[in-house]
Amino acid sequence: MVLVGTRNPLNIGAAARALNNFGFRRLRLVNPYQVAYQEARSAVHAHEILESAEEYQTLADAVADCTLVVGTTSLGHRELQHPLRTLEYGGRLLRKHLVSGRVALLFGSEKFGLSNDDLSYCHWLVRIGTQGSMNLGQAVAVCMYELTRKAAAPKPEKRRPASADDLDRLTERLTEVLALSGYVHSAGTEAKIRRLVRRLDLPAHDAEVWLGMLRQIQWKLKREEPKR
């Protein structure tokens, strides 16, 4: 579980307790409000999880070793550019993926949720079907429950999915090639490309092949640039 920009110590503590109650152990925090984080370390029944929690400055670093990154979103009129799945269906996909890879489930700040830039690191999103909003601790508990529901053991996938770090390298290389080719590069172009790359659902081997092709294209374009 990855908490992004969390500010309330009660929410951090409640999220940690939810992990502990459902048998999960790994908590990562991206730019937590330090005062809240230090206060949350005294959370009842979650001390060990908070002591071993990992802090990151960027979301990219926090999910670099994950092969599936899923964001959470609440009800609202926000325009989403990702596949959106119910928690029940998304939970089945998450359980299946956990057999062969590492999954990151993202929760945004209490006030604003996940930003558009945060969402660009996600493969898809899940939403809890409630009539109103839930606080962070409740949302985490519901998601953890769904992940531990009894289900038939899925068969491991034959191919290893690309990690978030693989996809970031591919995004960076593709952005550089497009810039060299004259593609208009606006402030939001890289985030758009990052979303497109994640929707490809590439296995690790294919990601490396694409990187090799893009490196060759980039080398060729640089050679053909007019000398000044």
Side-chain angles (χ1 to χ4, degrees):
M1 184 177 68
V2 181
L3 302 182
V4 183
T6 312
R7 296 185 63 84
N8 189 317
L10 296 178
N11 285 334
I12 297 176
R17 285 195 298 274
L19 258 71
N20 182 70
N21 289 341
F22 290 101
F24 293 90
R25 291 291 176 267
R26 302 201 68 174
L27 172 63
R28 295 180 176 181
L29 300 103
V30 179
N31 284 328
Y33 183 49
Q34 283 302 315
V35 174
Y37 184 34
Q38 294 305 320
E39 289 183 19
R41 283 180 178 272
S42 61
V44 179
H45 305 309
H47 180 73
E48 291 183 2
I49 289 177
L50 289 168
E51 283 296 325
S52 61
E54 302 166 72
E55 287 187 70
Y56 294 87
Q57 292 299 310
T58 68
L59 180 55
D61 289 339
V63 301
D65 60 345
C66 299
T67 54
L68 176 62
V69 181
V70 176
T72 56
T73 183
S74 61
L75 293 171
H77 302 290
R78 183 177 185 175
E79 181 181 355
L80 300 175
Q81 302 181 46
H82 292 74
L84 181 62
R85 294 177 171 132
T86 64
L87 181 58
E88 182 179 13
Y89 176 56
R92 290 200 299 269
L93 297 180
L94 289 167
R95 288 195 299 269
K96 180 180 178 181
H97 197 92
L98 281 168
V99 175
S100 58
R102 178 168 288 173
V103 174
L105 186 59
L106 311 186
F107 294 85
S109 69
E110 299 90 334
K111 189 172 183 180
F112 302 108
L114 295 169
S115 69
N116 287 332
D117 191 63
D118 295 333
L119 293 176
S120 72
Y121 287 92
C122 299
H123 293 84
W124 41 271
L125 308 177
V126 294
R127 185 172 67 188
I128 302 172
T130 62
Q131 294 299 315
S133 62
M134 303 180 75
N135 68 38
L136 181 59
Q138 291 174 325
V140 171
V142 170
C143 289
M144 296 302 100
Y145 166 75
E146 190 63 41
L147 289 178
T148 56
R149 286 211 304 165
K150 297 294 183 183
K155 296 180 180 179
E157 295 183 2
K158 293 182 179 179
R159 61 179 193 171
R160 182 174 66 86
S163 69
D165 187 49
D166 293 333
L167 298 180
D168 272 347
R169 290 190 293 123
L170 183 56
T171 297
E172 182 179 359
R173 185 72 63 173
L174 180 55
T175 303
E176 292 172 356
V177 168
L178 289 173
L180 274 175
S181 69
Y183 184 84
V184 178
H185 185 71
S186 64
T189 298
E190 187 171 350
K192 183 191 300 182
I193 294 170
R194 192 180 297 124
R195 289 193 297 268
L196 290 171
V197 167
R198 276 158 172 74
R199 286 203 290 266
L200 293 174
D201 193 23
L202 291 172
H205 176 265
D206 288 4
E208 289 299 327
V209 172
W210 276 107
L211 278 168
M213 290 191 292
L214 289 171
R215 279 193 291 266
Q216 179 65 24
I217 294 171
Q218 186 179 36
W219 175 78
K220 186 70 172 177
L221 289 172
K222 285 183 176 180
R223 283 196 61 184
E224 294 179 354
E225 277 187 319
K227 295 183 180 179
R228 297 177 181 177

